[in-house]
Amino acid sequence: MIIESFVVGPLYTNCYLVACPITKEAIIIDPGFHRRAEYEAIVKRAVELGLKVVLIVNTHGHPDHTSGNSLLQERLHVPIAIHERDVPLLTKVRADVLLRDGDTIKFGATTLRVLHTPGHTMGSISLIGRNEVFTGDTLFAGSVGRWDLPGGSFVDLMRSLRERLMILPDSFVVYPGHGPTSTIGGERASNPFLTSKFDYSFIDFIT
């Protein structure tokens, strides 16, 4: 799998260009760019690698991950995919593909599986490959996504982390929505939200 990352937008969002090395079909994950130069850098790199972008995927509907949707769709004429529960968060464009848990995203000979990981938003997803996972704003290196915004839920976020992401192998590389890459094993061992250092005693009380 070809993975190229770009830091875009005022909130330093990680936008990923992901491609099949055999057919060179590609997807763009979380185009949160605001400046044309950011868009041009991504398209230029795709051209340099001989890639054909066939889909835009939003891990969730917040503007810092979706603000480049309309420009990409206008220029590249490709559909936009997002989980069905985050469709209301899209304002400037409509979703063409409504994703659900367990769906697969295929581009060339490469497949990513959709894992519904709510908590940051109701429709947050992670995308699972052979040895990598794109976690959006659910899991970061050493931290987790905010749960205090509309549609967020701390309880849902913790369940997504513990019951969905932490069952992946330690070797899986984590490609988050912001910040550096990590691994599932590294986060399991040191992320304060996933170790005994964090007090979860109040969860039962609020569920």
Side-chain angles (χ1 to χ4, degrees):
M1 186 184 298
I2 299 169
I3 302 175
E4 299 272 333
S5 63
F6 305 82
V7 179
V8 299
L11 297 184
Y12 304 102
T13 301
N14 291 330
C15 173
Y16 297 102
L17 176 65
V18 184
C20 169
I22 300 173
T23 68
K24 299 300 181 71
E25 288 189 347
I27 66 172
I28 293 177
I29 301 173
D30 289 346
F33 50 81
H34 283 244
R35 296 186 296 112
R36 187 171 297 273
E38 294 172 332
Y39 157 81
E40 291 173 349
I42 295 169
V43 173
K44 178 182 178 182
R45 186 56 178 157
V47 171
E48 289 173 348
L49 295 173
L51 306 180
K52 178 183 178 182
V53 177
V54 297
L55 183 68
I56 302 163
V57 183
N58 299 144
T59 60
H60 61 289
H62 286 159
D64 59 316
H65 291 254
T66 65
S67 57
N69 280 354
S70 57
L71 181 57
L72 280 175
Q73 191 175 57
E74 174 188 336
R75 296 298 179 86
L76 302 181
H77 307 290
V78 293
I80 294 170
I82 192 170
H83 191 274
E84 58 185 357
R85 297 195 68 183
D86 266 17
V87 168
L89 297 180
L90 296 181
T91 56
K92 294 184 178 180
V93 296
R94 63 177 179 82
D96 303 291
V97 180
L98 303 186
L99 299 172
R100 299 175 181 84
D101 186 61
D103 285 350
T104 55
I105 296 172
K106 296 182 179 181
F107 42 107
T110 300
T111 300
L112 294 176
R113 179 166 58 88
V114 176
L115 188 69
H116 186 207
T117 48
H120 181 62
T121 66
M122 292 187 291
S124 287
I125 60 170
S126 297
L127 301 169
I128 300 176
R130 287 187 175 182
N131 193 48
E132 57 280 311
V133 56
F134 299 88
T135 57
D137 282 5
T138 298
L139 175 64
F140 304 133
S143 189
V144 299
R146 292 179 63 173
W147 59 84
D148 58 332
L149 300 172
S153 164
F154 181 81
V155 172
D156 287 346
L157 183 63
M158 291 301 106
R159 285 175 176 157
S160 292
L161 291 164
R162 296 171 124 191
E163 300 176 11
R164 312 227 73 189
L165 290 176
M166 288 302 108
I167 65 173
L168 296 173
D170 285 350
S171 61
F172 263 51
V173 179
V174 174
Y175 291 93
H178 302 271
T181 59
S182 182
T183 64
I184 290 293
E187 295 312 302
R188 193 195 317 279
S190 63
N191 190 313
F193 288 88
L194 298 168
T195 66
S196 58
K197 298 176 184 178
F198 197 87
D199 180 12
Y200 293 96
S201 60
F202 68 96
I203 290 182
D204 288 338
F205 174 75
I206 61 177
T207 54

